[in-house]
Amino acid sequence: MRDRLEALQNSGLAEIQKTEDLKQLDDLRIKYLGKKGEITELMKGMKDLSNEERPLIGKLVNDVKEKISEEIDLKFNFLNEIQRKRQLETETIDITLPGRKITKGGLHPVTETELFIKEIFREMGFDVADGPEIEETYFNFDALNIPETHSSRDLQDTFYIKSDVVLRTHTSPVQIRYMKDREAPFRMICTGKVYRSDYDISHTPMFHQMEGLMVGENISFANLKAILTEFVSKVFGERKVRFRPHFFPFTEPSAEMDVECVVCGGKGCRLCKGTGWLEIMGCGMVDPEVLKEGGFDSEKVSGFAFGIGIERTTMLRHGIDDLRAFYENDMRFLKQFKK
Ligand code: PHE
């Protein structure tokens, strides 16, 4: 029995020495120490031993068990360590790699221009107002002195929702809404979407406008010129401007404001169609009829108003030649304006 135990210990230790992986080592643990393992098997012979021998052999069995178990633990730690090292070598994380970029969105160029020009007027003391896109014909037309026979009331330009409700065709109805709740003097601007049934390289059925209105005692065309000239120089830099007589039903006198061409500086090019000038907005002195609709006495106060196309302003600021590019959502186009 002693010899068998010794032989078992020797072969066990030798086998443990030779193992090279954890699975093999686990098999050995079962082979020697398991419930049906070799030592357990050997212990079955204990019952045949004499009373003196039994405790001695029992101790020896325990020693062998302990020795083998210790050896297995040592080997286990050793193999485990090797495996971890190997893992670290093959599965390394390169901490010097740059992190993944978080992609930020940017403002749409029309929105950016809208905020930019709004801020210019805000700095000049203008209040920022708002009005509905679905508008009553009264505010969109009648109150603005646009008679039923005026061409902008034509069914082809205006999107009608009901006979007396339209998608607003301009931001001018906000003039009336604003005047009705206010006392003079005031100055306000309003930006927003407007709708016309039109589609080609310079027209989309929806576009953006900015409206401005200033009302008070002794407001004159000189005030209009001063404010709008200052505005244009902030948007396009120091450039010549001119006011051409025009007609709008809600202003009298009315004008269109032109700025020296941003491309050729006035010499004449494709953008300005050889004229050297670019039209940028409509403006004029508020018609007495409109002041009256807004609740003001045109004998006591006067005012001026203006309307600017925001897409057009954006095109001139960035040299964009097709209005439709704004609404195609082509990322290659939009990304160029990201700040
Ligand atoms: N509402 C006019 C348009 O849409 C622009 C404008 C506004 C003209 C105010 C004069 C005064 O064309």
Side-chain angles (χ1 to χ4, degrees):
M1 194 115 178
R2 268 175 221 278
D3 294 345
R4 283 177 63 197
L5 269 170
E6 197 179 330
L8 202 66
Q9 173 167 327
N10 290 340
S11 74
L13 295 183
E15 276 196 281
I16 293 166
Q17 274 283 302
K18 272 190 266 164
T19 42
E20 266 162 23
D21 67 63
L22 290 165
K23 169 83 184 75
Q24 262 178 21
L25 189 67
D26 205 48
D27 290 344
L28 287 180
R29 187 194 300 275
I30 294 167
K31 180 175 170 189
Y32 287 98
L33 307 173
K35 268 195 205 128
K36 291 176 185 157
E38 306 225 355
I39 294 179
T40 317
E41 202 54 40
L42 211 143
M43 277 160 68
K44 281 180 186 160
M46 297 263 287
K47 62 180 185 322
D48 304 326
L49 295 174
S50 67
N51 282 347
E52 296 83 57
E53 270 232 294
R54 202 174 293 131
L56 296 175
I57 296 293
K59 184 178 178 305
L60 206 61
V61 168
N62 278 338
D63 288 349
V64 171
K65 262 183 165 175
E66 213 168 283
K67 186 103 193 143
I68 290 182
S69 162
E70 246 171 44
E71 204 60 29
I72 287 177
D73 286 348
L74 277 174
K75 188 78 184 200
F76 177 84
N77 288 340
F78 175 73
L79 290 177
N80 215 19
E81 188 59 26
I82 290 186
Q83 197 183 45
R84 263 202 24 221
K85 262 194 195 143
R86 218 177 278 149
Q87 208 171 12
L88 283 175
E89 272 163 24
T90 52
E91 298 175 13
T92 47
I93 298 167
D94 183 353
I95 56 163
T96 66
L97 277 176
R100 286 202 187 93
K101 265 204 190 127
I102 297 169
T103 42
K104 268 197 300 180
L107 290 179
H108 189 280
V110 171
T111 308
E112 194 272 329
T113 297
E114 177 179 334
L115 296 178
F116 173 65
I117 62 181
K118 232 173 166 171
E119 193 50 35
I120 294 173
F121 281 101
R122 218 204 301 260
E123 280 173 8
M124 293 198 274
F126 281 69
D127 182 28
V128 177
D130 209 357
E133 287 173 32
I134 296 171
E135 187 57 285
E136 292 167 38
T137 46
Y138 166 75
F139 288 106
N140 196 79
F141 298 126
D142 305 84
L144 287 164
N145 199 30
I146 302 174
E148 297 246 18
T149 51
H150 193 271
S151 64
S152 70
R153 271 181 104 142
D154 194 308
L155 281 169
Q156 303 209 322
D157 297 341
T158 308
F159 291 111
Y160 276 84
I161 289 176
K162 289 199 289 199
S163 64
D164 58 351
V165 179
V166 298
L167 291 180
R168 66 178 175 192
T169 58
H170 52 178
T171 42
S172 300
V174 183
Q175 287 189 29
I176 306 293
R177 289 181 174 275
Y178 193 90
M179 280 193 279
K180 282 189 187 289
D181 320 326
R182 295 293 185 313
E183 301 287 326
F186 66 77
R187 42 185 123 174
M188 75 89 173
I189 49 156
C190 151
T191 60
K193 293 185 168 81
V194 301
Y195 302 84
R196 290 179 201 175
S197 181
D198 233 341
Y199 193 57
D200 61 38
I201 74 160
S202 54
H203 296 90
T204 47
M206 183 282 294
F207 60 103
H208 296 76
Q209 281 191 335
M210 181 170 79
E211 192 80 12
L213 176 66
M214 182 164 178
V215 172
E217 279 174 36
N218 301 319
I219 301 285
S220 70
F221 207 92
N223 298 123
L224 176 157
K225 280 178 75 173
I227 296 243
L228 296 184
T229 305
E230 171 74 4
F231 164 72
V232 166
S233 76
K234 288 204 163 130
V235 179
F236 298 108
E238 290 300 327
R239 283 179 189 282
K240 276 193 214 144
V241 295
R242 72 174 183 189
F243 293 83
R244 260 182 304 107
H246 197 74
F247 172 79
F248 295 106
F250 32 89
T251 45
E252 180 59 34
S254 304
E256 273 188 333
M257 185 183 185
D258 295 342
V259 62
E260 197 178 59
C261 180
V262 293
V263 170
C264 64
K267 288 191 207 73
C269 69
R270 212 165 58 112
L271 181 66
C272 59
K273 300 194 182 82
T275 63
W277 295 98
L278 299 166
E279 176 210 318
I280 50 162
M281 70 175 107
C283 55
M285 299 308 294
V286 182
D287 191 286
E289 288 300 318
V290 174
L291 282 173
K292 207 161 90 193
E293 280 300 329
F296 290 101
D297 181 349
S298 60
E299 295 293 322
K300 292 198 178 121
V301 295
S302 52
F304 67 81
F306 54 91
I308 304 168
I310 299 179
E311 278 80 354
R312 182 161 168 81
T313 309
T314 312
M315 287 167 82
L316 298 180
R317 283 177 77 205
H318 299 295
I320 298 159
D321 59 7
D322 187 344
L323 177 67
R324 289 172 296 192
F326 289 135
Y327 299 108
E328 281 163 359
N329 284 335
D330 184 332
M331 287 303 284
R332 291 166 303 178
F333 171 75
L334 295 175
K335 270 187 179 162
Q336 298 175 72
F337 304 97
K338 210 167 119 177
K339 282 198 176 158

